[in-house]
Amino acid sequence: MIQLQHVSFNYQRQEVLSDISLLFPLGQTIGIAGENGSGKSTLLKIIAGIQRPRKGTISIHNESLTRIHANDIAYLPDTDLFYSFYTTKELLAFYASQFKDFSVQKALEVANFLEVDVNVKLKKLSKGNRGRAKMAATLGRNTSYYVMDEPFSGLDPIVRESLIKGLIQFVNMEEQSIILSTHELHDVEPILDQLIVLKQGKVIAQDDLETIRFETNQDAVSWMKYVTKEKVK
Amino acid sequence: MVREGGYEMTQDFTRDKPIYSQLVDIICGDILKGKLQPGDKMQSVREYSLEVGVNVNTVQRVYKELESMELTETKRGQGTFITSEEGRILRLREDMKVKLVNQFLQSIAAFGFSREEIVQILQREEGTQ
């Protein structure tokens, strides 16, 4: 379990996250939605142990989250941070050199499932295929948590669908969890257990998606619009 | 339902009902249409998750629901099977008929139609087929 208690973060005077308390149990897929600038990326970086909160605490498996304990979390950044002259195979070898929990074999299986040609340089791949390569590298790690910043952003529906199926196929929902931010709620909703909505650095709503449908007859997209508007007034 | 030859677009869901109950309805429909026969082995939870593009936890709930409706049975170490009790399936058929008719009656009442005029149209449709 990852637990955030009263977490705040700011860049100089600008408050990015304020007083966030959240629980992320194992065995779930949790979506984080919110407008641009609502603090999603910063929140994910804090969960992944890349940024330290200015205030508040964060723990994983009941121990304070430090860079050392953060090794049970695999993080997928929203930017292309990789050397573009690497092929996917070389990228996977690089991951293997960085992470003890990395399985080249599993990563290759994911790449194969997503139909990425692992011998082509990343810069020669389409954006969609780079997204797939990134997903293969991330899922090659065997960690309790996968934290993914906008894994579907800017990708066409077919790529999104194959990535979603990759998550179903290669993440073990009995002992792992996925925390991901997304704008593509309509596509992603069927694989989410719960949704957290951020606005101006605060959690304004959080619920189980099947509960939302059952109680409000709304899907994730309309519910999010509803709660976002409510809080503006 | 095809898996060979690439990806089948995932199931689309209406927004007014939980996804698990929509999947239960789809499987009930497959049983009634005979697409799933008594005694047929069902896909594993993960296989079905992949096919419909839905969270494993949600599909687990679907399988639990079908089991509690006694439409399926799980044999240890072998998987989940459609019930071979034909009586249970006949009962599902009857229940579903009543449910659909009730829904229909509610919607014609909402538009203020009388049952008589609707029955007339049903009979006329019957004649043209």
Side-chain angles (χ1 to χ4, degrees):
Chain A
M1 184 168 74
I2 291 179
Q3 183 169 25
L4 279 73
Q5 285 178 301
H6 307 295
V7 164
S8 296
F9 189 87
N10 57 286
Y11 290 108
Q12 274 105 39
R13 289 247 177 113
Q14 203 205 338
E15 185 150 73
V16 183
L17 295 175
S18 71
D19 195 23
I20 295 206
S21 296
L22 288 169
L23 277 184
F24 298 98
L26 283 174
Q28 289 205 354
T29 304
I30 299 152
I32 298 178
E35 293 155 13
N36 293 323
S38 57
K40 298 190 298 290
S41 287
T42 308
L43 178 61
L44 289 179
K45 281 184 189 143
I46 285 176
I47 294 168
I50 291 164
Q51 295 267 27
R52 305 277 302 154
R54 299 280 192 259
K55 280 188 215 146
T57 59
I58 169 163
S59 66
I60 177 167
H61 312 316
N62 293 319
E63 287 186 79
S64 170
L65 184 83
T66 60
R67 272 185 190 271
I68 296 161
H69 291 120
N71 63 15
D72 202 18
I73 301 166
Y75 174 68
L76 183 147
D78 70 333
T79 42
D80 281 339
L81 295 173
F82 308 121
Y83 295 123
S84 61
F85 52 81
Y86 273 179
T87 64
T88 300
K89 217 182 223 169
E90 287 162 346
L91 174 70
L92 300 183
F94 173 72
Y95 262 65
S97 72
Q98 299 299 305
F99 303 109
K100 274 191 225 138
D101 53 50
F102 191 80
S103 158
V104 174
Q105 195 198 330
K106 184 184 172 201
L108 285 172
E109 252 175 68
V110 181
N112 182 44
F113 178 89
L114 299 176
E115 299 174 329
V116 188
D117 185 343
V118 295
N119 296 310
V120 176
K121 285 186 174 28
L122 295 174
K123 63 181 172 195
K124 293 254 170 81
L125 292 177
S126 64
K127 190 172 182 193
N129 279 331
R130 273 204 303 278
R132 289 168 156 132
K134 230 158 76 166
M135 180 69 79
T138 308
L139 293 182
R141 293 192 59 192
N142 183 22
T143 51
S144 297
Y145 286 89
Y146 295 103
V147 174
M148 305 182 165
D149 196 355
E150 296 283 353
F152 313 109
S153 161
L155 305 176
D156 68 53
I158 293 172
V159 180
R160 291 206 292 268
E161 169 148 345
S162 83
L163 293 179
I164 284 172
K165 294 201 163 171
L167 293 179
I168 295 174
Q169 175 75 22
F170 293 102
V171 178
N172 180 356
M173 277 296 140
E174 271 160 35
E175 43 197 49
Q176 297 178 304
S177 271
I178 305 166
I179 304 167
L180 59 86
S181 63
T182 186
H183 285 292
E184 292 76 14
L185 259 189
H186 177 73
D187 289 6
V188 182
E189 175 178 9
I191 61 158
L192 296 182
D193 290 289
Q194 54 163 313
L195 182 62
I196 292 166
V197 183
L198 287 185
K199 190 179 173 76
Q200 292 166 354
K202 293 190 178 73
V203 173
I204 56 165
Q206 175 183 18
D207 213 336
D208 189 274
L209 281 163
E210 294 284 69
T211 309
I212 294 169
R213 283 170 172 265
F214 184 73
E215 285 177 358
T216 69
N217 292 345
Q218 284 180 314
D219 65 359
V221 176
S222 52
W223 182 72
M224 186 188 148
K225 280 188 193 148
Y226 171 74
V227 296
T228 311
K229 254 191 228 140
E230 275 291 284
K231 304 287 162 170
V232 178
K233 278 187 242 162
Chain B
M1 297 292 251
V2 203
R3 293 251 352 250
E4 264 81 30
Y7 298 108
E8 175 86 347
M9 271 320 251
T10 37
Q11 195 70 45
D12 241 331
F13 298 98
T14 62
R15 62 193 234 182
D16 55 324
K17 271 166 69 180
I19 288 176
Y20 91 91
S21 68
Q22 297 185 46
L23 289 173
V24 168
D25 284 349
I26 288 171
I27 293 175
C28 284
D30 285 347
I31 294 173
L32 292 178
K33 283 182 290 193
K35 207 161 154 190
L36 286 170
Q37 296 275 346
D40 272 1
K41 187 172 195 279
M42 294 180 66
Q43 291 169 293
S44 72
V45 167
R46 191 183 294 261
E47 283 165 352
Y48 191 58
S49 283
L50 269 179
E51 181 183 303
V52 290
V54 169
N55 191 321
V56 170
N57 293 331
T58 307
V59 171
Q60 207 108 47
R61 192 167 168 192
V62 171
Y63 277 41
K64 235 185 244 165
E65 178 81 7
L66 290 168
E67 181 123 22
S68 74
M69 291 166 80
E70 294 171 355
L71 289 170
T72 61
E73 47 205 8
T74 301
K75 294 180 193 161
R76 241 206 288 170
Q78 295 181 56
T80 302
F81 297 81
I82 304 293
T83 181
S84 38
E85 269 181 60
E86 311 253 351
R88 178 62 192 97
I89 294 176
L90 281 178
R91 207 145 37 87
L92 174 68
R93 218 182 134 74
E94 291 311 307
D95 292 349
M96 199 60 92
K97 249 191 266 182
V98 172
K99 192 172 136 188
L100 287 175
V101 168
N102 282 337
Q103 278 171 5
F104 180 62
L105 290 179
Q106 266 175 23
S107 58
I108 63 171
F111 284 99
F113 293 118
S114 73
R115 290 191 187 192
E116 290 69 29
E117 57 185 328
I118 297 293
V119 168
Q120 266 177 19
I121 293 183
L122 282 175
Q123 281 165 342
R124 204 165 67 206
E125 285 288 309
E126 185 70 13
T128 59
Q129 274 172 15

